[in-house]
Amino acid sequence: MSTSLDMPTRPQAQIRVARVAVPSPLPQLFDYRLPDDGAVVPGMRVRVPFGSSVRIGIVVDCADSASVENHRLKPIDAILDAQPVLPREALEFALWAGRYYHHPPGEVLATALPVLLRQGADAVPDQDEAFALTAAGGAVELTALARRAPRQAELLNRLRQAGGLLTADALRAIDGGRATARTLLDKGWLRLESRPAYGFVPTAEPAPPPELNPAQAAARDAVRATTGFGCHLLDGVTGSGKTEVYLELVADTVAAGRQALVLVPEIGLTPQLLQRFSRRFQVPMVAFHSGLTDRERLNAWLAARDGQAAIVIGTRSAIFTPLARPGLIVVDEEHDLSFKQQDGFRYNARDLAVARGSRLGIPVVLGSATPSLETLYNVERRGYSHLRLPQRAGGAQMPRTQILDIRGKPLYGGLSEALLARMREHLDQGGQVLAFLNRRGFAPALFCHACAWVGTCSRCDARLTLHQRERRLRCHHCGHERPPPPACPSCRSSELRALGQGTERLEQELQARFPDHGLVRIDRDSTRRKGAMEKLLASAHSGEGRILIGTQMLAKGHHLPDVTLVAIVDADQGLFGTDFRATERLAQQIVQVAGRAGRAERPGEVVIQTHHPDHPLLHTLLRDGYAALARELLDERRQLALPPYASLALLRAEATAAEAPLAFLEEARQQAAALALPGVELLGPIPAPMERRAGRYRAHLLLQAARRPSLQQLLERWVPKLGSLKSGRRVRWSLDVDPMEML
Ligand code: ADP
Ligand code: ZN
Ligand code: ZN
């Protein structure tokens, strides 16, 4: 029985209150009154009135008194769960992450839940028909049956091997399986049951693992020797067999009855990788990838939470997956930017993996051929172990790298004669050639030779990219597009020229030069249609494509054994970037692309075209390698007091009114300064590097601290007050703790 709201006579102590994280941009939890007969525990979903709407929130805490007067306390509409959907550990971890990033708990928990649970669906997996062996079916003598009815014998045999149960899905994969199963049902040898359909990744024909080489074995043993939490950097050149080490460690984990969580970059979750796992493990495994429906995502999530899946693979958001028996976390390509969420709840899954491993008391392995400066720093300062795989596994050699000075040389679609000649040689010898250019479209600008007019976006401070085949000018920042003008809009001249190179132009040039060789272009444009990526990759793998052209989509993770020449068409883009991480990124990109060359028996070659052949970065990288360059870059960061030697937070604001963002940030700065907390420098506000984007003006206020705790202290006191600034109503603002890009 619940009493009516306007009867504040009820004794305070008897009122039970739930603290609920409600999805909203507000930073606090909200108190609701529990029905007298309703029990909740943290992690359950409740439906609650919120303003004029009704929302689904998560109970975070229960209490006997509220933060508002009892008679103003609104009652919970409904309790949606009998059991918490989020187990305690996953709930507390997500809340901790929300506090670290100073993001509203309601939105944080919404990120941690599959979409269907957010919308109120029951937390139960789909059900699937399954065929179970009966006692009679188990007793059938197979040899005799095989002579009369080979299919029936075969199916019974499969069932026995599969532990007496096959799902309808598994049956569909067997030729004539369903019909045979019907027959066996009629004979009483099988029984129909219903089973949760978790959507496990199908297992594949097992392949025997290679014997680890000494470096791999040493790395594996070092992780094995960890008890409790320990963070390990697996620093191995491309093709050194890092994945084999992960597989061994995952095998240990599974054998110990625990679950392994494997995080991969967005582009890293390829069918190839899944196949490697499914050939090694005959255990239930789920993969969170963008191709899942909401239903499938929920099924997989439940399998992880309830301990049904032994292995969980996914991209960044998988870090929040609840696990019943966690035993290991692996982050592959830990330097990859895609681990950082760049909008809304801006978390870094790599950093959260370390935090979660530490809370759980389990080992964390961060793998990369080009470790981030942050992680290298943590090896020094926070005692991560540094496990090195210096050589390629299986006998492949590291590629030879060479700088091509293109100053003053004629270029054909961005390609020098020397490079074209190298390409021809490799193609003639049966090698595959990969041309890397991290710019899609035909040309990054359309330019008038008569008056110097340049096509710019009306909504951004940016040039429009020409996409020639589709005859469009497109803004890569806001999506605005229009047809290219027939003549210069400024002077009417018809001498409009495409300036600079994109992958589309490269493709055109190479097609004209090497008409007899199959060509594959992989970038965001060519892979937009569903299934296009798989098709293009298949043709790259089969060798049908002899010349591969691509952006970073092609640069990462793919194992292309026949590629013998990698051409970095334009290294100059990254050499003088404005972001302080630009050089680190460029070095990582060069090493990663170069790593596609000569992954099998054929030795590889890498050619880097540049107008700055004497640039120290290129020299250190080529002469002494990535590790040496990373040391130099770290030294530079230390001198400039930049991350990882400092902690940053970036307050961004944007608005259609030009002066509003700076006005807000200035007020915000004064508010922070008034808190008078030591150790944090407030830099700015200043306009963002690209001040106008998608019709909005943007500005930044940067907070910099030598010590992370000083920064956190300030943010804790300051962020809750930001919402009260009047000037904040005229802007959209967001806070980015540990920003990775200063855009
Ligand atoms: P990485 O993850 O470091 O890029 P992979 O694990 O993909 O490297 O290994 C590169 C190639 O070498 C793969 O084809 C893999 O099967 C093979 N390989 C890895 N370890 C060994 C080993 N110990 N012996 C033989 N081949 C190996
Ligand atoms: Zn003109
Ligand atoms: Zn634009």
Side-chain angles (χ1 to χ4, degrees):
M1 286 293 290
S2 65
T3 49
S4 80
L5 281 183
D6 48 13
M7 276 176 62
T9 48
R10 216 182 148 82
Q12 296 271 325
Q14 284 188 11
I15 289 205
R16 291 185 314 136
V17 172
R19 293 233 140 103
V20 181
V22 183
S24 94
L26 296 170
Q28 66 270 37
L29 299 173
F30 294 88
D31 286 356
Y32 289 91
R33 175 182 192 155
L34 276 168
D36 293 349
D37 53 353
V40 294
V41 291
M44 286 183 180
R45 291 170 300 162
V46 289
R47 203 168 56 224
V48 294
F50 191 81
S52 58
S53 67
V54 171
R55 296 193 188 176
I56 292 172
I58 301 255
V59 176
V60 164
D61 215 346
C62 300
D64 287 330
S65 66
S67 55
V68 298
E69 292 162 50
N70 282 346
H71 67 278
R72 290 181 46 207
L73 208 55
K74 291 189 190 161
I76 281 174
D77 264 8
I79 300 170
L80 301 187
D81 300 304
Q83 299 293 322
V85 278
L86 264 182
R88 189 116 214 169
E89 181 270 328
L91 174 68
E92 282 174 2
F93 169 66
L95 291 170
W96 174 86
R99 286 195 297 276
Y100 179 82
Y101 291 105
H102 300 272
H103 198 73
E107 287 189 0
V108 169
L109 291 182
T111 306
L113 284 185
V115 103
L116 286 181
L117 293 185
R118 260 180 260 165
Q119 296 168 350
D122 285 340
V124 289
D126 284 334
Q127 296 294 312
D128 194 4
E129 277 187 338
F131 294 82
L133 208 57
T134 59
V140 174
E141 212 283 299
L142 290 186
T143 334
L145 179 67
R147 259 173 266 131
R148 284 180 287 123
R151 282 201 162 164
Q152 294 180 24
E154 157 100 41
L155 188 59
L156 283 179
N157 189 32
R158 288 276 275 257
L159 272 152
R160 286 178 192 180
Q161 278 173 6
L165 196 91
L166 279 179
T167 60
D169 248 357
L171 210 59
R172 267 187 282 277
I174 302 168
D175 199 23
R178 278 197 82 93
T180 315
R182 290 278 155 213
T183 316
L184 299 187
L185 273 178
D186 292 342
K187 290 186 167 178
W189 291 351
L190 293 188
R191 169 177 76 234
L192 211 47
E193 288 187 359
S194 106
R195 276 283 183 265
Y198 289 118
F200 297 128
V201 177
T203 54
E205 195 61 33
E211 193 167 329
L212 295 192
N213 63 37
Q216 287 172 312
R220 175 201 57 198
D221 294 343
V223 181
R224 268 189 188 166
T226 324
T227 46
F229 169 66
C231 193
H232 308 272
L233 167 60
L234 183 59
D235 179 355
V237 298
T238 48
S240 59
K242 293 183 291 297
T243 311
E244 283 305 323
V245 176
Y246 307 149
L247 290 168
E248 290 269 314
L249 293 169
V250 169
D252 283 358
T253 308
V254 172
R258 308 262 231 139
Q259 293 167 287
L261 174 63
V262 180
L263 299 184
V264 296
E266 256 155 26
I267 297 168
L269 195 49
T270 57
Q272 278 169 284
L273 180 89
L274 281 182
Q275 205 198 18
R276 266 177 95 174
F277 272 81
S278 54
R279 290 175 70 171
R280 179 65 68 87
F281 297 105
Q282 307 294 308
V283 299
M285 173 166 83
V286 291
F288 293 99
H289 54 81
S290 55
L292 296 186
T293 63
D294 290 344
R295 239 315 129 191
E296 290 167 334
R297 192 168 291 273
L298 174 59
N299 291 334
W301 189 87
L302 291 168
R305 185 193 72 176
D306 298 338
Q308 306 292 340
I311 303 172
V312 178
I313 306 184
T315 49
R316 66 174 172 259
S317 64
I319 190 55
F320 296 106
T321 315
L323 299 165
R325 293 170 278 105
L328 172 72
I329 304 179
V330 173
V331 183
D332 186 28
E333 309 287 2
E334 65 86 28
H335 65 279
D336 197 282
L337 250 192
S338 72
F339 287 118
K340 171 82 189 208
Q341 167 97 16
Q342 304 280 22
D343 55 16
F345 176 26
R346 296 172 151 86
Y347 62 93
N348 185 322
R350 190 260 328 269
D351 297 343
L352 286 182
V354 177
R356 191 163 183 207
S358 156
R359 296 168 66 93
L360 287 168
I362 61 174
V364 177
V365 177
L366 309 179
S368 177
T370 52
S372 63
L373 298 187
E374 276 82 4
T375 296
L376 288 168
Y377 170 90
N378 286 334
V379 167
E380 302 270 308
R381 302 292 177 105
R382 293 172 70 188
Y384 291 13
S385 77
H386 196 166
L387 312 170
R388 292 184 177 86
L389 306 180
Q391 249 120 46
R392 284 192 161 176
Q397 287 168 7
M398 286 307 282
R400 203 154 41 82
T401 306
Q402 186 193 344
I403 290 181
L404 260 187
D405 179 0
I406 53 171
R407 282 177 299 181
K409 306 268 163 62
L411 295 177
Y412 307 93
L415 304 166
S416 63
E417 269 162 5
L419 176 54
L420 286 165
R422 296 304 298 140
M423 287 183 164
R424 182 166 299 286
E425 254 175 65
H426 278 265
L427 290 169
D428 285 348
Q429 285 165 17
Q432 251 176 335
V433 168
L434 189 162
F436 172 77
L437 180 62
N438 207 13
R439 223 191 273 120
R440 64 198 170 87
F442 186 81
L446 189 65
F447 171 79
C448 173
H449 189 51
C451 79
W453 171 90
V454 178
T456 53
C457 178
S458 54
R459 309 172 67 219
C460 306
D461 296 331
R463 292 177 170 183
L464 294 170
T465 299
L466 176 65
H467 290 253
Q468 182 135 294
R469 195 167 306 160
E470 296 161 285
R471 302 205 45 76
R472 305 299 282 174
L473 279 175
R474 274 203 192 113
C475 175
H476 286 185
H477 303 280
C478 74
H480 165 80
E481 61 172 70
R482 54 182 142 108
C488 172
S490 171
C491 75
R492 299 280 120 218
S493 154
S494 59
E495 285 204 73
L496 287 179
R497 294 188 182 172
L499 209 63
Q501 324 300 332
T503 45
E504 195 189 324
R505 187 173 216 170
L506 206 55
E507 178 183 20
Q508 196 183 71
E509 183 68 29
L510 287 169
Q511 203 142 47
R513 300 244 160 201
F514 304 105
D516 302 331
H517 291 89
L519 204 142
V520 172
R521 186 183 105 217
I522 295 189
D523 57 27
R524 202 126 58 83
D525 298 318
S526 71
T527 56
R528 195 153 285 149
R529 260 175 297 117
K530 200 170 153 63
M533 177 79 166
E534 288 72 23
K535 231 185 189 157
L536 291 169
L537 273 178
S539 127
H541 279 282
S542 71
E544 185 194 330
R546 304 311 303 163
I547 302 174
L548 318 178
I549 297 167
T551 55
Q552 55 171 347
M553 281 187 120
L554 190 54
K556 292 185 197 172
H558 304 295
H559 188 62
L560 301 162
D562 280 350
V563 170
T564 54
L565 174 66
V566 166
I568 293 169
V569 174
D570 179 5
D572 296 350
Q573 278 177 286
L575 284 174
F576 303 98
T578 48
D579 194 306
F580 71 86
R581 286 192 174 87
T583 43
E584 176 187 359
R585 297 263 157 69
L586 176 66
Q588 288 166 343
Q589 212 164 56
I590 291 177
V591 175
Q592 294 287 345
V593 187
R596 302 308 117 211
R599 305 247 309 174
E601 306 79 48
R602 301 158 179 270
E605 184 180 2
V606 178
V607 172
I608 302 176
Q609 289 199 134
T610 176
H611 287 94
H612 305 276
D614 300 321
H615 196 286
L617 176 139
L618 292 176
H619 273 267
T620 307
L621 188 61
L622 263 51
R623 195 184 53 225
D624 307 323
Y626 179 81
L629 179 67
R631 274 193 298 277
E632 278 183 16
L633 294 178
L634 269 171
D635 208 43
E636 225 173 82
R637 299 268 186 97
R638 189 173 45 74
Q639 287 170 27
L640 297 171
L642 285 169
Y645 296 90
S647 287
L648 301 181
L650 187 62
L651 183 64
R652 294 184 176 90
E654 57 173 58
T656 43
E659 79 300 340
L662 285 169
F664 165 72
L665 293 177
E666 179 52 33
E667 255 200 280
R669 191 191 64 78
Q670 287 168 18
Q671 199 183 35
L675 291 171
L677 287 171
V680 183
E681 259 190 283
L682 304 165
L683 305 168
I686 52 163
M690 184 188 293
E691 186 175 7
R692 211 164 52 96
R693 192 161 96 188
R696 296 171 157 270
Y697 291 85
R698 306 150 72 239
H700 291 169
L701 175 67
L702 186 65
L703 287 77
Q704 180 168 15
R707 295 180 56 252
R708 194 183 298 276
S710 319
L711 181 63
Q712 282 291 338
Q713 246 166 37
L714 175 73
L715 294 176
E716 240 161 70
R717 304 254 316 264
W718 178 49
V719 179
K721 293 182 200 248
L722 275 171
S724 67
L725 288 179
K726 258 211 193 111
S727 54
R729 286 183 215 150
R730 301 181 54 214
V731 302
R732 270 195 221 153
W733 62 266
S734 62
L735 181 74
D736 194 348
V737 177
D738 305 334
M740 292 302 286
E741 286 184 301
M742 307 302 234
L743 298 174

